Amino acid sequence: MNGSLQLDAIDRALIVATQGGLPLVARPYQAIGERVGIAGDEVVRRLQALLDSGIIRRIGAVPNHYAIGWTANGMTVWDVADERIDELGARVGALEFVTHCYRRPRALPDWPYNLFAMVHGNSRDEVRDKAGLIAELLGADCRGRDVLFSTRILKKTGLRI
């Protein structure tokens, strides 16, 4: 993290105002600015500075997969060589049907998986078919795999201040 950016009261107010999500209006940054007493373009400038400094990591959408028609959600897990995981993870993460892909530590001997990729579909069979495409992409680099299907929806939230 870049220590050169000092948070002021407006930065803190922006973080609090956005940590639960952006308002669903035509001009969300303007609406946030009205709440904290600055212009919409200043909201954008300050949020970009917070991103650039590493104080906040991202601004992104968190869709309700069920509401957009994806009723089967599977976290595919893969056992790949640690020295190849960055390259392989980038290739898997670039697939249009993978919504997020990341590395996690193994918990041997029970959990050999170190690469995780979320896949959504209209059925479990569709998710399994997509996992098969990932397996083809990984080829001999795939030493083991599984698909963990969602059984309920959990509310996703980040750190709150």
Side-chain angles (χ1 to χ4, degrees), residues 7 12 15 28 31 36 38 42 58 63 74 82 86 98 104 124 128 131-132 136 139 153 155 157-158:
L7 289 180
R12 289 182 186 281
I15 292 169
V36 300
I38 61 175
E42 179 68 4
R58 65 183 172 90
D82 290 327
D86 290 338
V98 171
R104 285 285 184 256
R124 286 185 174 203
R128 285 186 194 100
E136 288 176 21
I153 301 173
K155 181 171 175 45
T157 61

Side-chain angles (χ1 to χ4, degrees), residues 56-100:
I56 60 175
R57 287 185 294 165
R58 65 183 172 90
I59 298 173
V62 181
N64 178 331
H65 301 104
Y66 292 91
I68 59 176
W70 287 334
T71 56
N73 306 292
M75 179 59 74
T76 65
V77 294
W78 308 89
D79 175 11
V80 300
D82 290 327
E83 59 273 4
R84 304 257 350 257
I85 195 167
D86 290 338
E87 172 200 344
L88 297 171
R91 291 172 57 195
V92 171
L95 296 169
E96 61 90 21
F97 57 83
V98 171
T99 57
H100 49 284

Side-chain angles (χ1 to χ4, degrees), residues 9-153:
I10 293 174
D11 291 326
R12 289 182 186 281
L14 282 175
I15 292 169
V16 170
T18 58
Q19 67 188 2
L22 298 179
L24 298 176
V25 297
R27 299 183 63 189
Y29 297 113
Q30 183 66 34
I32 293 166
E34 290 170 6
R35 269 198 279 181
V36 300
I38 61 175
D41 60 344
E42 179 68 4
V43 170
V44 172
R45 188 194 67 73
R46 283 175 174 264
L47 288 176
Q48 187 62 59
L50 292 168
L51 283 166
D52 292 345
S53 71
I55 291 172
I56 60 175
R57 287 185 294 165
R58 65 183 172 90
I59 298 173
V62 181
N64 178 331
H65 301 104
Y66 292 91
I68 59 176
W70 287 334
T71 56
N73 306 292
M75 179 59 74
T76 65
V77 294
W78 308 89
D79 175 11
V80 300
D82 290 327
E83 59 273 4
R84 304 257 350 257
I85 195 167
D86 290 338
E87 172 200 344
L88 297 171
R91 291 172 57 195
V92 171
L95 296 169
E96 61 90 21
F97 57 83
V98 171
T99 57
H100 49 284
C101 182
Y102 49 90
R103 170 194 304 208
R104 285 285 184 256
R106 305 169 196 277
L108 297 173
D110 300 320
W111 190 257
Y113 308 111
N114 59 342
L115 180 63
F116 291 55
M118 191 64 175
V119 174
H120 305 279
N122 294 309
S123 69
R124 286 185 174 203
D125 285 340
E126 181 183 345
V127 170
R128 285 186 194 100
D129 289 346
K130 290 175 177 177
L133 295 173
I134 296 172
E136 288 176 21
L137 175 76
L138 294 174
D141 288 308
C142 176
R143 302 184 300 206
R145 68 181 193 159
D146 203 350
V147 180
L148 312 172
F149 287 100
S150 301
T151 58
R152 61 190 167 127
I153 301 173

